[in-house]
Amino acid sequence: MAAARRRGPADVVEARWQALRLSWQWRHAVHRIRSPGRPFPGIVPLLEAAAAQPRLRRLFPFTSHFALLFSSSTRYPWIVQAGSIEPLPNGRFKVRRRSPSAVVGEVETAEEAVTLLLELLPSTSDLRG
């Protein structure tokens, strides 16, 4: 991440996407070994669906309590854009708006959740280092 920071915010965002996806894929694999048959929140497919969207791919992704959020800042404090997506234990996804924090909808798939979140995204989200 330090090398990415030297190259600029766009490289930090790309490095973060890669690290976050690998980290959650690893956690999911460990969960399958340690807790076979127990469900794991759908964070991995959610990250894949979000990464496929260019508007989200420009933002710094982070997770908190399994919820996926996006920041226009690559450093803390995060400047959350749009809202969050939370994978639910039943396999569905809950989308919340940023402010005021309210549930916008609950959908079946990660792709539907990402589409719903994109509707909440401001038309311009400037990335800050």
Side-chain angles (χ1 to χ4, degrees), residues 20-82:
L20 198 58
R21 288 163 74 186
L22 288 171
S23 171
W24 281 107
Q25 287 168 352
W26 178 82
R27 290 177 192 181
H28 186 216
V30 168
H31 177 83
R32 283 191 312 230
I33 293 166
R34 290 185 176 165
S35 304
R38 287 190 53 215
F40 187 80
I43 192 74
V44 173
L46 178 56
L47 283 164
E48 296 297 327
Q53 294 298 323
R55 288 181 65 207
L56 293 178
R57 190 65 188 235
R58 291 190 310 249
L59 296 171
F60 186 86
F62 66 100
T63 55
S64 177
H65 301 89
F66 285 98
L68 178 60
L69 301 99
F70 304 90
S71 174
S72 58
S73 173
T74 61
R75 295 182 185 272
Y76 188 82
W78 312 124
I79 302 171
V80 176
Q81 299 295 311

